[in-house]
Amino acid sequence: MNYYLMFEPGLIEKFKELKTPFYYYDLELLKRTLQEVKVHGIDKGFHVHYAVKANFNVELLKIIRQSGMGVDCVSGPEIERAVETGFSPSQIAFAGVGKTDDEIRTGLKHNIFSFNCESLQELEVLNGLAEKEGRTASVSIRLNPNVEAKTHRYITTGLNENKFGITIEKLPMLFSILPELDHLKLTGIHFHIGSQITELKPYYDLCEKVEIVQRLFEKEGHKLQHINVGGGYGINYLEPDAEPIPDFKAFFQVFEENLTLRKNQQLHFELGRSVVGQCGSLISRVLYIKEGLETNFAVLDAGMTELIRPALYQAMHRVDSLTSNMSPKMYDVVGPICESSDTFRQGVWLPELRRGDLVAIRSAGAYGEVMSSGFNLRERIRSYYSDFAKSTL
């Protein structure tokens, strides 16, 4: 395997001077990842939108914009952040099952590429607001294809039991009301079946459903300008150094070989975690070592307030010791918050830790910093970057 060294000894020495916890972003790895997306996706004519919800850090967004990607937003403030960072409104897709009126007005104000609408009522509300603003909104219908994504149930989004999208059974109702919505322009259809998908089979299944749905729209006389198949492609959380960049060639190839695009029809993607997940790490110090009767606890100064994924999804991130080279010992790696769920890993072998040792919680570039909170009135976490570290830390 092609191992990637994220933490060089000189960098770790610089970390020792910093107040912890903090997020560290390897911008070189981010740029390498974006290059793979470009070669296997953008250069083939695909339109790739970065899912801002994965990480809206401004420094990362600037680099992502330079790669030629658009953005996928799920809130009004995300749209504003994207525009402020330099993304063109013509590159912004706006998804979300619960868009507020003010958020819809934000999208209308900027004349964004597409509203990905998720219910018949949302279409009616959007049409009314667009009429009041004297605008016509470009709309993509988010459909629920009932495809099993084989991921955690909290991040599965494409089953009939999920709250997202319009079920295929409601298409006749959709087709009946579309002619009445004269301030909407139907431009495409949108799908998103879940997150952290590590097998390609769900995407093959999605392609089959896309073909079926597209024919239903064509039968009703709707010529679709674009198909948006979402994202959700996963990363290797347990061995990030062995797989620092996901296999984008295999991912894009599934759609290239299994979707039949119509003449001049565009294919859009929305990738988030797979773009930024591996470039970020949460750096923390050991506060205390507690030797229990059955368990040794390494208590860190970072907790669920800085990285909530383990508590929320039972997610397992790799934990690396950055400063100890002693013999291995088994630990439960936990945070300082007064919640038993404030645990990063249980039963993990690490070089024996002591108070003050630095550890890195890996693969935290997606849904890490952006989900951090001020619970317990804890100080908001800081971020550092590889380029910044090399020059001034």
Side-chain angles (χ1 to χ4, degrees):
M1 294 185 177
N2 181 25
Y3 282 79
Y4 180 82
L5 180 63
M6 180 174 286
F7 304 109
E8 300 174 353
L11 185 60
I12 295 173
E13 288 301 311
K14 293 175 181 178
F15 285 173
K16 292 178 181 179
E17 303 170 8
L18 299 174
K19 181 179 178 181
T20 52
F22 61 86
Y23 273 95
Y24 167 73
Y25 295 104
D26 186 331
L27 301 185
E28 179 185 350
L29 179 56
L30 174 61
K31 292 172 183 177
R32 287 179 51 187
T33 303
L34 291 168
Q35 180 63 19
E36 288 295 301
V37 174
K38 182 177 184 299
V39 169
H40 300 295
I42 297 174
D43 286 352
K44 292 188 176 181
F46 302 146
H47 296 258
V48 183
H49 302 259
Y50 166 66
V52 177
K53 64 182 178 179
N55 197 320
F56 49 65
N57 183 294
V58 171
E59 297 302 318
L60 303 189
L61 287 178
K62 290 177 182 177
I63 294 172
I64 292 168
R65 177 182 59 79
Q66 293 168 0
S67 74
M69 292 177 67
V71 285
D72 157 43
C73 298
V74 293
S75 74
E78 283 190 0
I79 293 175
E80 297 288 7
R81 172 66 60 90
V83 172
E84 291 166 3
T85 313
F87 289 93
S88 167
S90 65
Q91 297 175 297
I92 298 176
F94 183 19
V97 70
K99 305 178 186 72
T100 68
D101 289 9
D102 283 344
E103 289 175 324
I104 290 173
R105 292 189 189 98
T106 297
L108 290 170
K109 176 184 71 173
H110 290 292
N111 193 26
I112 61 173
F113 164 70
S114 177
F115 288 85
N116 296 345
C117 290
E118 304 208 18
S119 69
L120 302 182
Q121 188 175 33
E122 181 186 343
L123 288 167
E124 294 171 343
V125 170
L126 174 58
N127 184 71
L129 292 172
E131 182 178 11
K132 289 180 180 178
E133 299 288 332
R135 295 177 179 272
T136 298
S138 296
V139 166
S140 182
I141 306 297
R142 178 170 178 176
L143 293 154
N144 189 324
N146 197 32
V147 170
E148 173 57 67
K150 299 182 180 180
T151 186
H152 192 283
R153 64 190 182 93
Y154 285 1
I155 50 178
T156 294
T157 61
L159 295 175
N160 286 337
E161 65 195 63
N162 298 137
K163 66 181 179 180
F164 304 96
I166 297 171
T167 60
I168 293 175
E169 288 73 19
K170 293 201 174 193
L171 282 180
M173 294 178 62
L174 170 69
F175 294 140
S176 69
I177 69 169
L178 277 176
E180 304 170 8
L181 306 176
D182 51 5
H183 283 267
L184 303 185
K185 178 183 179 182
L186 176 63
T187 57
I189 51 177
H190 173 230
F191 304 83
H192 181 69
I193 58 175
S195 293
Q196 186 49 21
I197 301 170
T198 55
E199 300 179 21
L200 292 177
K201 186 181 184 305
Y203 293 118
Y204 285 101
D205 296 340
L206 174 60
C207 288
E208 292 182 6
K209 290 293 181 74
V210 171
E211 291 290 350
I212 292 171
V213 170
Q214 170 141 246
R215 287 196 291 270
L216 292 175
F217 273 79
E218 290 173 334
K219 185 178 179 181
E220 295 294 323
H222 298 288
K223 184 178 180 181
L224 302 172
Q225 297 176 16
H226 73 269
I227 306 292
N228 187 330
V229 292
Y233 196 33
I235 62 175
N236 189 336
Y237 277 98
L238 295 183
E239 293 294 338
D241 295 323
E243 196 176 356
I245 302 175
D247 188 352
F248 288 111
K249 179 179 180 181
F251 171 76
F252 285 114
Q253 198 166 25
V254 170
F255 298 94
E256 184 178 13
E257 296 178 353
N258 292 277
L259 277 183
T260 303
L261 296 179
R262 292 7 178 198
K263 185 178 180 181
N264 297 324
Q265 190 176 63
Q266 298 176 351
L267 183 59
H268 289 244
F269 297 85
E270 296 168 346
L271 298 175
R273 182 196 319 264
S274 58
V275 175
V276 296
Q278 297 291 33
C279 77
S281 294
L282 175 58
I283 310 300
S284 181
R285 273 191 176 87
V286 176
L287 290 176
Y288 302 103
I289 299 296
K290 290 183 61 176
E291 295 185 357
L293 294 177
E294 298 180 359
T295 305
N296 297 312
F297 294 96
V299 183
L300 308 183
D301 60 2
M304 60 191 290
T305 42
E306 285 69 50
L307 180 63
I308 199 174
R309 294 191 70 256
L312 186 61
Y313 304 124
Q314 301 81 51
M316 289 196 296
H317 290 251
R318 181 183 175 91
V319 180
D320 286 336
S321 170
L322 299 182
T323 52
S324 174
N325 56 8
M326 299 176 69
S327 298
K329 197 170 183 177
M330 183 180 286
Y331 295 96
D332 281 10
V333 182
V334 303
I337 308 303
C338 189
E339 302 283 346
S340 294
S341 58
D342 187 31
T343 299
F344 292 113
R345 287 291 300 273
Q346 293 179 305
V348 61
W349 287 92
L350 293 169
E352 184 174 351
L353 297 172
R354 295 178 178 175
R355 173 175 167 83
D357 274 326
L358 290 175
V359 301
I361 303 172
R362 306 291 303 281
S363 309
Y367 307 106
E369 179 186 1
V370 292
M371 297 179 78
S372 61
S373 74
F375 184 48
N376 291 176
L377 279 179
R378 283 167 64 82
E379 183 179 350
R380 290 286 181 170
I381 194 164
R382 291 192 62 183
S383 300
Y384 296 95
Y385 316 89
S386 53
D387 290 355
F388 181 73
K390 290 173 184 174
S391 60
T392 62
L393 287 189

PDB file of all heavy atoms in Angstrom, residues 26-42:
ATOM      1  N   ASP A  26      -3.811  19.200   6.598  1.00  0.00           N
ATOM      2  CA  ASP A  26      -2.707  18.977   5.667  1.00  0.00           C
ATOM      3  C   ASP A  26      -3.164  19.441   4.283  1.00  0.00           C
ATOM      4  O   ASP A  26      -3.878  18.716   3.573  1.00  0.00           O
ATOM      5  CB  ASP A  26      -2.330  17.498   5.658  1.00  0.00           C
ATOM      6  CG  ASP A  26      -1.101  17.195   4.833  1.00  0.00           C
ATOM      7  OD1 ASP A  26      -0.846  17.932   3.862  1.00  0.00           O
ATOM      8  OD2 ASP A  26      -0.386  16.228   5.153  1.00  0.00           O
ATOM      9  N   LEU A  27      -2.789  20.651   3.908  1.00  0.00           N
ATOM     10  CA  LEU A  27      -3.259  21.223   2.646  1.00  0.00           C
ATOM     11  C   LEU A  27      -2.655  20.530   1.435  1.00  0.00           C
ATOM     12  O   LEU A  27      -3.268  20.490   0.363  1.00  0.00           O
ATOM     13  CB  LEU A  27      -2.954  22.725   2.616  1.00  0.00           C
ATOM     14  CG  LEU A  27      -3.578  23.551   3.745  1.00  0.00           C
ATOM     15  CD1 LEU A  27      -3.314  25.034   3.532  1.00  0.00           C
ATOM     16  CD2 LEU A  27      -5.071  23.281   3.877  1.00  0.00           C
ATOM     17  N   GLU A  28      -1.469  19.956   1.602  1.00  0.00           N
ATOM     18  CA  GLU A  28      -0.880  19.210   0.486  1.00  0.00           C
ATOM     19  C   GLU A  28      -1.738  17.993   0.155  1.00  0.00           C
ATOM     20  O   GLU A  28      -1.992  17.702  -1.021  1.00  0.00           O
ATOM     21  CB  GLU A  28       0.539  18.759   0.850  1.00  0.00           C
ATOM     22  CG  GLU A  28       1.214  17.939  -0.255  1.00  0.00           C
ATOM     23  CD  GLU A  28       2.568  17.382   0.154  1.00  0.00           C
ATOM     24  OE1 GLU A  28       3.081  17.774   1.211  1.00  0.00           O
ATOM     25  OE2 GLU A  28       3.098  16.535  -0.594  1.00  0.00           O
ATOM     26  N   LEU A  29      -2.199  17.281   1.181  1.00  0.00           N
ATOM     27  CA  LEU A  29      -3.059  16.119   0.939  1.00  0.00           C
ATOM     28  C   LEU A  29      -4.385  16.548   0.334  1.00  0.00           C
ATOM     29  O   LEU A  29      -4.916  15.885  -0.562  1.00  0.00           O
ATOM     30  CB  LEU A  29      -3.278  15.353   2.243  1.00  0.00           C
ATOM     31  CG  LEU A  29      -4.189  14.124   2.139  1.00  0.00           C
ATOM     32  CD1 LEU A  29      -3.682  13.149   1.080  1.00  0.00           C
ATOM     33  CD2 LEU A  29      -4.318  13.434   3.487  1.00  0.00           C
ATOM     34  N   LEU A  30      -4.929  17.663   0.797  1.00  0.00           N
ATOM     35  CA  LEU A  30      -6.169  18.164   0.218  1.00  0.00           C
ATOM     36  C   LEU A  30      -5.992  18.439  -1.272  1.00  0.00           C
ATOM     37  O   LEU A  30      -6.836  18.062  -2.094  1.00  0.00           O
ATOM     38  CB  LEU A  30      -6.612  19.436   0.941  1.00  0.00           C
ATOM     39  CG  LEU A  30      -7.823  20.165   0.342  1.00  0.00           C
ATOM     40  CD1 LEU A  30      -9.057  19.273   0.339  1.00  0.00           C
ATOM     41  CD2 LEU A  30      -8.094  21.464   1.101  1.00  0.00           C
ATOM     42  N   LYS A  31      -4.899  19.069  -1.638  1.00  0.00           N
ATOM     43  CA  LYS A  31      -4.660  19.393  -3.047  1.00  0.00           C
ATOM     44  C   LYS A  31      -4.470  18.137  -3.878  1.00  0.00           C
ATOM     45  O   LYS A  31      -4.937  18.057  -5.026  1.00  0.00           O
ATOM     46  CB  LYS A  31      -3.452  20.318  -3.165  1.00  0.00           C
ATOM     47  CG  LYS A  31      -3.692  21.713  -2.591  1.00  0.00           C
ATOM     48  CD  LYS A  31      -2.420  22.545  -2.541  1.00  0.00           C
ATOM     49  CE  LYS A  31      -2.674  23.904  -1.893  1.00  0.00           C
ATOM     50  NZ  LYS A  31      -1.438  24.709  -1.757  1.00  0.00           N
ATOM     51  N   ARG A  32      -3.806  17.135  -3.319  1.00  0.00           N
ATOM     52  CA  ARG A  32      -3.639  15.863  -4.035  1.00  0.00           C
ATOM     53  C   ARG A  32      -4.989  15.190  -4.246  1.00  0.00           C
ATOM     54  O   ARG A  32      -5.255  14.609  -5.317  1.00  0.00           O
ATOM     55  CB  ARG A  32      -2.712  14.941  -3.252  1.00  0.00           C
ATOM     56  CG  ARG A  32      -1.247  15.336  -3.278  1.00  0.00           C
ATOM     57  CD  ARG A  32      -0.408  14.383  -2.446  1.00  0.00           C
ATOM     58  NE  ARG A  32      -0.639  12.998  -2.775  1.00  0.00           N
ATOM     59  CZ  ARG A  32      -0.141  11.962  -2.102  1.00  0.00           C
ATOM     60  NH1 ARG A  32       0.606  12.174  -1.033  1.00  0.00           N
ATOM     61  NH2 ARG A  32      -0.389  10.725  -2.476  1.00  0.00           N
ATOM     62  N   THR A  33      -5.847  15.270  -3.238  1.00  0.00           N
ATOM     63  CA  THR A  33      -7.180  14.676  -3.341  1.00  0.00           C
ATOM     64  C   THR A  33      -7.996  15.379  -4.416  1.00  0.00           C
ATOM     65  O   THR A  33      -8.661  14.737  -5.242  1.00  0.00           O
ATOM     66  CB  THR A  33      -7.896  14.762  -1.983  1.00  0.00           C
ATOM     67  OG1 THR A  33      -7.101  14.123  -0.978  1.00  0.00           O
ATOM     68  CG2 THR A  33      -9.258  14.093  -2.045  1.00  0.00           C
ATOM     69  N   LEU A  34      -7.947  16.703  -4.415  1.00  0.00           N
ATOM     70  CA  LEU A  34      -8.681  17.471  -5.418  1.00  0.00           C
ATOM     71  C   LEU A  34      -8.186  17.170  -6.829  1.00  0.00           C
ATOM     72  O   LEU A  34      -8.975  17.147  -7.791  1.00  0.00           O
ATOM     73  CB  LEU A  34      -8.552  18.961  -5.118  1.00  0.00           C
ATOM     74  CG  LEU A  34      -9.274  19.442  -3.854  1.00  0.00           C
ATOM     75  CD1 LEU A  34      -8.845  20.857  -3.491  1.00  0.00           C
ATOM     76  CD2 LEU A  34     -10.787  19.373  -4.027  1.00  0.00           C
ATOM     77  N   GLN A  35      -6.893  16.924  -6.967  1.00  0.00           N
ATOM     78  CA  GLN A  35      -6.338  16.584  -8.276  1.00  0.00           C
ATOM     79  C   GLN A  35      -6.922  15.264  -8.784  1.00  0.00           C
ATOM     80  O   GLN A  35      -7.207  15.114  -9.976  1.00  0.00           O
ATOM     81  CB  GLN A  35      -4.809  16.509  -8.194  1.00  0.00           C
ATOM     82  CG  GLN A  35      -4.117  16.152  -9.504  1.00  0.00           C
ATOM     83  CD  GLN A  35      -4.330  17.178 -10.607  1.00  0.00           C
ATOM     84  OE1 GLN A  35      -4.689  18.328 -10.334  1.00  0.00           O
ATOM     85  NE2 GLN A  35      -4.100  16.786 -11.849  1.00  0.00           N
ATOM     86  N   GLU A  36      -7.113  14.303  -7.870  1.00  0.00           N
ATOM     87  CA  GLU A  36      -7.710  13.026  -8.265  1.00  0.00           C
ATOM     88  C   GLU A  36      -9.166  13.210  -8.697  1.00  0.00           C
ATOM     89  O   GLU A  36      -9.619  12.583  -9.655  1.00  0.00           O
ATOM     90  CB  GLU A  36      -7.621  12.036  -7.107  1.00  0.00           C
ATOM     91  CG  GLU A  36      -6.223  11.519  -6.828  1.00  0.00           C
ATOM     92  CD  GLU A  36      -5.680  10.690  -7.971  1.00  0.00           C
ATOM     93  OE1 GLU A  36      -6.313   9.668  -8.319  1.00  0.00           O
ATOM     94  OE2 GLU A  36      -4.625  11.061  -8.531  1.00  0.00           O
ATOM     95  N   VAL A  37      -9.884  14.067  -7.993  1.00  0.00           N
ATOM     96  CA  VAL A  37     -11.263  14.367  -8.388  1.00  0.00           C
ATOM     97  C   VAL A  37     -11.281  15.019  -9.767  1.00  0.00           C
ATOM     98  O   VAL A  37     -12.130  14.706 -10.620  1.00  0.00           O
ATOM     99  CB  VAL A  37     -11.939  15.285  -7.347  1.00  0.00           C
ATOM    100  CG1 VAL A  37     -13.322  15.717  -7.827  1.00  0.00           C
ATOM    101  CG2 VAL A  37     -12.050  14.579  -5.999  1.00  0.00           C
ATOM    102  N   LYS A  38     -10.333  15.905 -10.002  1.00  0.00           N
ATOM    103  CA  LYS A  38     -10.259  16.592 -11.291  1.00  0.00           C
ATOM    104  C   LYS A  38      -9.964  15.619 -12.428  1.00  0.00           C
ATOM    105  O   LYS A  38     -10.659  15.616 -13.451  1.00  0.00           O
ATOM    106  CB  LYS A  38      -9.176  17.675 -11.233  1.00  0.00           C
ATOM    107  CG  LYS A  38      -9.030  18.497 -12.503  1.00  0.00           C
ATOM    108  CD  LYS A  38      -7.983  19.586 -12.331  1.00  0.00           C
ATOM    109  CE  LYS A  38      -7.895  20.472 -13.568  1.00  0.00           C
ATOM    110  NZ  LYS A  38      -7.500  19.731 -14.783  1.00  0.00           N
ATOM    111  N   VAL A  39      -8.973  14.776 -12.236  1.00  0.00           N
ATOM    112  CA  VAL A  39      -8.549  13.867 -13.306  1.00  0.00           C
ATOM    113  C   VAL A  39      -9.647  12.867 -13.653  1.00  0.00           C
ATOM    114  O   VAL A  39      -9.934  12.617 -14.835  1.00  0.00           O
ATOM    115  CB  VAL A  39      -7.254  13.132 -12.898  1.00  0.00           C
ATOM    116  CG1 VAL A  39      -6.956  11.986 -13.865  1.00  0.00           C
ATOM    117  CG2 VAL A  39      -6.088  14.103 -12.850  1.00  0.00           C
ATOM    118  N   HIS A  40     -10.264  12.286 -12.635  1.00  0.00           N
ATOM    119  CA  HIS A  40     -11.221  11.203 -12.878  1.00  0.00           C
ATOM    120  C   HIS A  40     -12.672  11.671 -12.970  1.00  0.00           C
ATOM    121  O   HIS A  40     -13.532  10.891 -13.381  1.00  0.00           O
ATOM    122  CB  HIS A  40     -11.089  10.147 -11.773  1.00  0.00           C
ATOM    123  CG  HIS A  40      -9.737   9.528 -11.698  1.00  0.00           C
ATOM    124  ND1 HIS A  40      -9.223   8.746 -12.714  1.00  0.00           N
ATOM    125  CD2 HIS A  40      -8.770   9.583 -10.741  1.00  0.00           C
ATOM    126  CE1 HIS A  40      -8.014   8.334 -12.393  1.00  0.00           C
ATOM    127  NE2 HIS A  40      -7.713   8.836 -11.206  1.00  0.00           N
ATOM    128  N   GLY A  41     -12.927  12.938 -12.617  1.00  0.00           N
ATOM    129  CA  GLY A  41     -14.288  13.432 -12.669  1.00  0.00           C
ATOM    130  C   GLY A  41     -14.451  14.672 -13.516  1.00  0.00           C
ATOM    131  O   GLY A  41     -15.049  14.631 -14.591  1.00  0.00           O
ATOM    132  N   ILE A  42     -13.893  15.786 -13.068  1.00  0.00           N
ATOM    133  CA  ILE A  42     -14.099  17.067 -13.746  1.00  0.00           C
ATOM    134  C   ILE A  42     -13.563  17.048 -15.167  1.00  0.00           C
ATOM    135  O   ILE A  42     -14.211  17.539 -16.104  1.00  0.00           O
ATOM    136  CB  ILE A  42     -13.455  18.200 -12.924  1.00  0.00           C
ATOM    137  CG1 ILE A  42     -14.151  18.320 -11.557  1.00  0.00           C
ATOM    138  CG2 ILE A  42     -13.531  19.529 -13.670  1.00  0.00           C
ATOM    139  CD1 ILE A  42     -13.498  19.299 -10.608  1.00  0.00           C
TER     140      ILE A  42
END
